[in-house]
Amino acid sequence: MKTLYFNWKKFPFSIAKKLPVFFYGRVKFSSIKGEIIIQGNVKRGMIGFGQPYEMNTLHKGIAEVFIEGKMIFKGHVQFGKDYFVYVGEKASCELGHMSSLGSNGKLICIEKIVLGDYCRIGSESQIMDTNFHQMIDALTGERFPITAPISLGNYNYFGNRVSIMSKTQTPDYCTIASNSLCNSDYSKGGTNILIGGIPAKLIRKNISRDWEGERSALDEILIV
């Protein structure tokens, strides 16, 4: 029912009848007043919320969606089970083809978040472009920005439990180790790099996930 409701509520008839967005399992729509844009060839089930593509098979039933800003889907996109997606009123969130956020993941967008094509984020990770509260310099009274954009490159592979915070920028073909905290511009390290740690730093150059070897298998398994 949520799949039918969302598609007919958010798209014109010509798009809604194709059911491009699927919801798997229980989900709460806290708000879906925002704008949903699908770029490219619209197909049935191309965007999966709660899509069962991981090893775990059970839903906790705690998935929640709050969209009052703009979400742009540039192809097939997957969200794992029990996700939390929040896009604020003035925010813009752009998700590239075959980008994903694994189970128990959080995406909180107050300003701007961009995920490139094949930007795959592991389970229990969070991506947030805000620190939520105003921070100040206790000596000078200087106020620091609460939000800053996030831009993740194409063919990025994030392990599980990674925190991607405001100001994060990654290059194409970047691998991020599990349990890392990202909060800087890592694009200066070039492509085919491994970063990790708290906060994340360059660990190794000239290393990459075998995207050429895996891409056809990913497409076959993940594209509904």
Side-chain angles (χ1 to χ4, degrees), residues 130-180:
T130 178
N131 59 16
F132 300 102
H133 303 288
Q134 181 68 66
M135 303 297 291
I136 64 172
D137 186 308
L139 294 177
T140 66
E142 177 187 0
R143 293 176 174 267
F144 301 112
I146 298 176
T147 66
I150 292 173
S151 179
L152 308 182
N154 301 315
Y155 297 99
N156 272 213
Y157 172 45
F158 291 77
N160 67 317
R161 295 182 177 176
V162 176
S163 292
I164 307 158
M165 311 305 292
S166 62
K167 300 181 182 179
T168 298
Q169 296 185 51
T170 60
D172 295 343
Y173 298 98
C174 181
T175 302
I176 299 85
S178 296
N179 297 293
S180 295

Side-chain angles (χ1 to χ4, degrees), residues 195-212:
I195 62 174
I198 302 177
K201 296 180 180 180
L202 178 64
I203 296 175
R204 181 175 173 178
K205 294 185 176 182
N206 301 314
I207 186 170
S208 174
R209 180 172 172 173
D210 183 9
W211 293 104
E212 290 300 320

